[in-house]
Amino acid sequence: MKKLIAGNWKMNGTQASAMDLISAIGIGLDENPSLTDTCDFLVCPPALHLTIVKDAIEGTNAPVSIGGQDCSANDNGAHTGDVSSDMLADIGCEYVILGHSERRADHEETSAYISEKAGRALISGLKVIICVGEQEEEREEGREFDVVAKQLRESLPNSASAANTVIAYEPVWAIGTGKAATTDDVAAMHSFIRKTLQEKLADAGDIRILYGGSVKPDNAGDLFKVENVDGALIGGASLKADQYLGIAKAV
Ligand code: PGA
C-alpha cells in the first residue's frame, strides 16, 4: 500500500502563500517523480483557498489530491457559516478530514456528530479521514486504548469501508508540540486500531491508518517503518514544501 502523505494546512496563510506552497510542492514532485511510486499526496488547505489550490494543481498536473478540513453534517440549507460535503465534492475535493482534535476541542464535536458528518460526506462521494487520539492525562492514567476504541466505535458511520475511509491516530499531546509519540507507542496503538476496526469492517486489514503529531522529515523514516503506519497527517511541517516532501522522501 502506498503511504498517504496528507498535509493539514489548518487556518494558515493567504491566497498568495497558498499558491506559493502548492507551486513549490508541484515543482518538487516534478523534480522527484519517483516519490509517487511510494506515496499518494494530499493537501487540505483552508476552505477559502481550496479552489485556487485546486486550479493550480490542475494547471500543472501535479499528482496531488485536495481535501477539506471539515464539513457540515447537513446536506444544504440554513446553516450559516457551514460548508457542505457536496460543496467540497463539487469543487474537486477527494477527501475531508473529520473529528480532528482541534474541532473536537474548539467546537465540542462528539464522536456521534463526527459519524453523522462522515456519513454525509460518504454520500457526497468523498473519502473521510477520521481522527482519533487520546489526551495526555488519559495516557498518563493508562486509558489511551479505551479512549481510542470508543472514538473509533462511535465516529465511524455504518457505510465506512477501507475504500472510503482513512483513520488518523493523533495523540493530542503530540500535535504541534514537537513531541511525537515513540515508535513503540505508535506500533501498539496502530495494531490495536486495526484490531478494533475488525469488529466493524470486513476489510479492516486494508484500511489506511495514518499517524499524526509532530511528524517531521527527521522522524518520518522511523515512523514509516512501523507496521500498520500507512502514512502521515502533517500539520506544521506541511506548510513548508521542502519539509512536506522531505517526509515523503523518508518513505
Ligand atoms: P502537527 O499537527 O504536525 O503540527 O503536530 C498534526 C495535525 O494536527 O494533524
Side-chain angles (χ1 to χ4, degrees):
M1 176 181 336
K2 285 192 197 182
K3 307 282 191 211
L4 180 61
I5 309 298
N8 174 9
W9 294 2
K10 305 194 181 182
M11 195 174 72
N12 289 297
T14 59
Q15 294 188 77
S17 70
M19 291 299 283
D20 287 348
L21 180 52
I22 194 61
S23 86
I25 290 171
I27 291 167
L29 286 173
D30 224 28
E31 290 170 354
N32 298 275
S34 62
L35 287 178
T36 56
D37 296 343
T38 48
C39 301
D40 289 326
F41 293 90
L42 167 68
V43 295
C44 300
L48 281 176
H49 299 162
L50 281 167
T51 307
I52 55 163
V53 171
K54 174 69 186 164
D55 289 349
I57 289 170
E58 272 175 6
T60 58
N61 263 329
V64 181
S65 300
I66 60 161
Q69 299 175 10
D70 179 49
C71 70
S72 173
N74 298 290
D75 54 353
N76 59 41
H79 304 285
T80 302
D82 283 355
V83 171
S84 77
S85 52
D86 281 352
M87 291 171 181
L88 294 178
D90 180 49
I91 62 149
C93 286
E94 186 177 342
Y95 286 89
V96 61
I97 299 170
L98 293 170
H100 190 283
S101 62
E102 286 151 17
R103 293 214 56 92
R104 289 180 188 260
D106 299 351
H107 300 274
E108 295 175 12
E109 292 193 5
T110 62
S111 291
Y113 187 45
I114 291 155
S115 169
E116 263 185 70
K117 290 184 174 201
R120 170 53 53 195
L122 293 177
I123 290 171
S124 301
L126 297 173
K127 295 175 190 156
V128 295
I129 300 178
I130 296 181
C131 303
V132 297
E134 80 285 358
Q135 314 265 351
E136 187 152 37
E137 60 272 23
E138 292 166 336
R139 178 167 280 270
E140 280 163 2
E141 291 162 8
R143 295 195 290 121
E144 67 272 24
F145 293 106
D146 291 346
V147 168
V148 168
K150 187 168 179 338
Q151 288 175 336
L152 283 172
R153 290 186 186 115
E154 294 177 1
S155 305
L156 260 69
N158 290 333
S159 46
S161 72
N164 62 25
T165 302
V166 174
I167 304 298
Y169 169 57
E170 299 203 305
V172 179
W173 46 270
I175 296 176
T177 59
K179 197 171 84 180
T182 66
T183 49
D184 284 350
D185 287 342
V186 173
M189 185 57 85
H190 279 228
S191 114
F192 174 79
I193 288 173
R194 197 171 301 284
K195 226 166 35 203
T196 305
L197 291 171
Q198 275 157 3
E199 292 169 10
K200 191 151 179 163
L201 302 182
D203 54 3
D206 298 327
I207 199 164
R208 267 176 167 156
I209 306 173
L210 313 183
Y211 168 76
S214 297
V215 179
K216 308 272 183 264
D218 60 2
N219 62 14
D222 288 339
L223 287 163
F224 288 142
K225 273 187 227 139
V226 175
E227 204 180 341
N228 293 307
V229 173
D230 306 309
L233 184 54
I234 308 151
S238 74
L239 296 172
K240 300 219 165 76
D242 58 338
Q243 293 201 22
Y244 174 72
L245 295 173
I247 289 167
K249 285 175 188 159
V251 174

